[in-house]
Amino acid sequence: MKRLLPLLLIAASLPGCGLRPLYAGGSEGAVAQSLRDIEVAPIEGKGGWLVRNAINDRLAAVPSASPRYRLVVKLDDEITGFGVRSDDSITRERRTLRARYQLIEMGGDKVVLDATAGSDAGIDVTSSEYATIAAENTALERLAQTVADQIISRLALYATRSANGQ
């Protein structure tokens, strides 16, 4: 009981601190409605295809018939070798995926949000070329998911602020 009391006190004080759920109202809430009104423009390359699909998966199951916004994403995908053996062969790589994205109003082409997202992953380079390529592809898939999560979080924050008139 002594352990439970501090948790109850903390939980009771949360409403007074101004915190509100981001997705309040569920699928009918302001954030969900705003995210449903976004169309994602095609993104170049394999990484672009992965990021676009991940964003679309997170936006909504039922897209809007007439989207209010278009999301334009430009990716920078880079692999850098940084672990070197005595025979000058690379032992470790870093795959970096960076995205610059803009949320644009459909009618007037006004940019309402311009931000970046990114992540990186380490890759062990083995003697098997196949294994190294497979590791690079797996890293790209994970990075695409991470970048999409960052973009959606920022879009949801923008939707919350615009719904509250900030």
Side-chain angles (χ1 to χ4, degrees), residues 69-145:
Y69 301 102
R70 182 177 65 251
L71 181 66
V72 177
V73 181
K74 302 242 188 283
L75 289 181
D76 180 26
D77 181 15
E78 184 178 313
I79 298 177
T80 307
F82 65 90
V84 181
R85 291 188 185 118
S86 60
D87 64 351
D88 287 336
S89 62
I90 295 173
T91 61
R92 190 99 171 122
E93 294 177 338
R94 174 179 288 134
R95 185 162 205 161
T96 306
L97 187 64
R98 302 277 181 247
R100 177 168 186 240
Y101 57 96
Q102 295 178 321
L103 188 62
I104 304 169
E105 283 184 355
M106 288 295 233
D109 287 339
K110 177 184 171 189
V111 176
V112 295
L113 177 66
D114 189 350
T116 60
S119 189
D120 62 354
I123 302 166
D124 287 328
V125 177
T126 64
S127 59
S128 168
E129 229 178 286
Y130 174 79
T132 302
I133 292 170
E136 290 171 353
N137 287 332
T138 301
L140 179 60
E141 291 168 8
R142 281 186 276 124
L143 292 173
Q145 298 291 324

Side-chain angles (χ1 to χ4, degrees), residues 21-36 59-60:
L22 185 61
Y23 294 102
S27 63
E28 300 304 318
V31 172
Q33 294 294 330
S34 294
L35 291 179
R36 215 175 271 144
L59 281 178

